[in-house]
Amino acid sequence: MRKKRENVPNPASYEQMREVLAMVVKAVPRLSEERAKYFVGRQRQVAASIRAIFSDPAPAVQHKVLEPWITFYQAEFGIELDPATVPVPDPKPGFGALIVVVPGITIERALTQCQKYFKIWRWTTSDLDALITSTRTATTAPYAVWHRAGTEADAEHKNKSYNTLQQEGVIGCTLLEYVLYHLFHFRVFSTHLDSENITLCTGSLYRDGLVACAGWIVGRSTLYVHWYDRASADDNLRVREVVPMP
C-alpha cells in the first residue's frame, strides 16, 4: 500500500495560473525584432530563469540551516524535527547560529539530559518550569532564535542589568534556550559555555521577579543555575542577545 503524502500544498487553480501568466506577459517590455529573436533562440535558458523565479528554495535552505539541530534532537531526545515546522527569523549581521526549541522539551528535561554528560548545580530542588515564566515557549510549536554563538556571553552587553537591557530593547535568551545551547555546544565541540562569565537569561523570570542566570564552574566541572535581581550589573554578568521571530 502506498503511503499517503503529507504536507503537500494544493496546486494553483487554472484561474490563478492564468493570472500568473498574464502578470509575466505584462512584465515583459516591448522588444525589438532582434531582441525577440535573441530570446526565442535561447528558450531553454529563459525557461530555466523563469523556473528559478517561481521555485521555492526555502525548504532546502531551511533544512540546511536546521540540520545540526535535527541531528541533536534525534540523538539526545529521540525527537524527529521536521524543518518545515520551524519558523526561522531573518538573519541579522553578527548573529550566525541558531537555537531551536521544540514542544515537550522543558527546563527540567533539558537539565536531566545534561546530567548524562556533566554535573548540574541548582539553587533550588523545586520544579524550575513551575517557578519560571519565559518570554518565549514552544508549548504548541517549535521556534528558533539567532544568536552570536560565543563561548562566552556577549561582551557587548557586559555590566548591564536586566533593567538597563529592557530600556535598551535588548532581547536576551531564556533559561531553556541557554541550557539547550549549552548541551548542543558541548555535544558538538566538547567544551562548555561561560567558564569566565555568567549569562543573564533575561527571557526568564522567577515568580518573585528575579532573573534566571547560568554559567560553568570550572573547578567543579558543573553547570549551575541561579538568579540575580533586576538591578544587578557586573563586568562578568552578561546577556546572550537573540533575534526571534518578529
Side-chain angles (χ1 to χ4, degrees):
M1 181 181 293
R2 295 180 64 184
K3 279 189 171 182
K4 183 180 179 181
R5 295 178 66 188
E6 298 179 352
N7 299 323
V8 178
N10 293 326
S13 67
Y14 288 115
E15 182 61 33
Q16 288 174 318
M17 291 302 297
R18 280 196 294 268
E19 290 178 0
V20 171
L21 290 173
M23 177 185 68
V24 172
V25 171
K26 187 176 180 180
V28 176
R30 185 60 182 261
L31 301 173
S32 67
E33 184 178 358
E34 288 187 1
R35 290 293 288 170
K37 288 181 179 179
Y38 174 86
F39 287 116
V40 169
R42 291 164 175 78
Q43 291 186 31
R44 294 177 65 180
Q45 295 94 319
V46 172
S49 297
I50 293 174
R51 278 195 298 270
I53 292 172
F54 288 102
S55 296
D56 182 10
V61 174
Q62 186 99 333
H63 189 280
K64 185 175 181 180
V65 170
L66 293 171
E67 190 169 2
W69 284 94
I70 294 171
T71 301
F72 170 79
Y73 274 111
Q74 179 62 53
E76 299 301 324
F77 299 101
I79 294 175
E80 293 186 9
L81 178 61
D82 180 359
T85 66
V86 185
V88 177
D90 291 335
K92 179 180 176 181
F95 292 75
L98 285 177
I99 298 173
V100 178
V101 184
V102 304
I105 301 299
T106 63
I107 299 170
E108 292 293 344
R109 186 175 177 185
L111 287 173
T112 297
Q113 188 65 18
C114 287
Q115 285 182 303
K116 295 181 179 181
Y117 305 104
F118 45 82
K119 293 181 288 185
I120 301 291
W121 182 91
R122 45 196 289 170
W123 71 275
T124 178
T125 57
S126 298
D127 183 348
L128 290 171
D129 292 290
L131 294 179
I132 286 175
T133 299
S134 296
T135 54
R136 290 173 302 282
T137 64
T139 305
T140 59
Y143 71 86
V145 296
W146 291 102
H147 65 111
R148 289 189 172 92
T151 303
E152 297 293 329
D154 300 352
E156 294 87 344
H157 299 303
K158 66 181 180 181
N159 204 25
K160 293 181 181 180
S161 68
Y162 172 90
N163 292 336
T164 298
L165 292 162
Q166 292 298 106
Q167 292 171 1
E168 294 180 354
V170 176
I171 302 174
C173 72
T174 67
L175 180 59
L176 176 56
E177 289 165 2
Y178 179 87
V179 174
L180 283 171
Y181 183 63
H182 195 117
L183 178 58
F184 176 89
H185 183 89
F186 174 76
R187 296 297 286 146
V188 174
F189 302 107
S190 299
T191 58
H192 295 279
L193 306 178
D194 294 313
S195 60
E196 299 177 6
N197 299 290
I198 302 165
T199 289
L200 189 64
C201 302
T202 58
S204 295
L205 297 178
Y206 291 97
R207 286 178 181 172
D208 53 9
L210 296 173
V211 189
C213 70
W216 183 253
I217 305 174
V218 176
R220 299 181 182 178
S221 298
T222 300
L223 171 64
Y224 69 90
V225 176
H226 212 283
W227 53 263
Y228 272 87
D229 64 56
R230 297 190 185 199
S232 294
D234 187 272
D235 280 354
N236 299 114
L237 184 60
R238 308 173 180 186
V239 74
R240 288 179 179 270
E241 185 178 359
V242 299
V243 179
M245 289 291 289

